[in-house]
Amino acid sequence: MKVKVSRKAHFNAAHRLYRQDWDDKKNNAVFGKCNNPNYHGHNYELVVSVTGDIDPETGFVIDMKILKDLIRSEIEDALDHKNLNVEVPEFRTLNPTAENIVIVIYNKLRPHIDAGKELEVILYETPRNFVTYNG
Ligand code: NI
């Protein structure tokens, strides 16, 4: 019997969507306001889910405290109150779209979750816009 357990988290970050190899006209056409050279911020919301068998001894799929601490150390400490383009190495050459951010988050967490368990990350960039990645 597999159960999916989920933990919500939150971080604030600034970003700018653009390509250095495109001129201003093309960047503005594709990315619009998100290409603001002075950056802009989002209140990102995160739902991290782990699916797996229940440990018969503990009754847990994963200890929520361990998951909470993992999200704090791997995600919040790395991304919260950061300028993603400037301060987060993964985005030096990768456009920090929600799609790319959710994959970076997944890849940071995956090595810390038992290989036999499934991981899914949902990232809300706004209350209405969200992306999902599960590997
Ligand atoms: Ni944005």
Side-chain angles (χ1 to χ4, degrees), residues 22-42:
W22 290 357
D23 62 19
D24 287 348
K25 192 179 170 198
K26 186 161 185 186
N27 272 307
N28 279 325
V30 174
F31 298 119
K33 284 182 180 175
C34 293
N35 176 42
N36 176 359
N38 293 319
Y39 306 96
H40 64 277
H42 290 282

Side-chain angles (χ1 to χ4, degrees), residues 15 17 34 40 42 44 125:
H15 74 167
L17 302 184
C34 293
H40 64 277
H42 290 282
Y44 290 97
E125 191 169 70

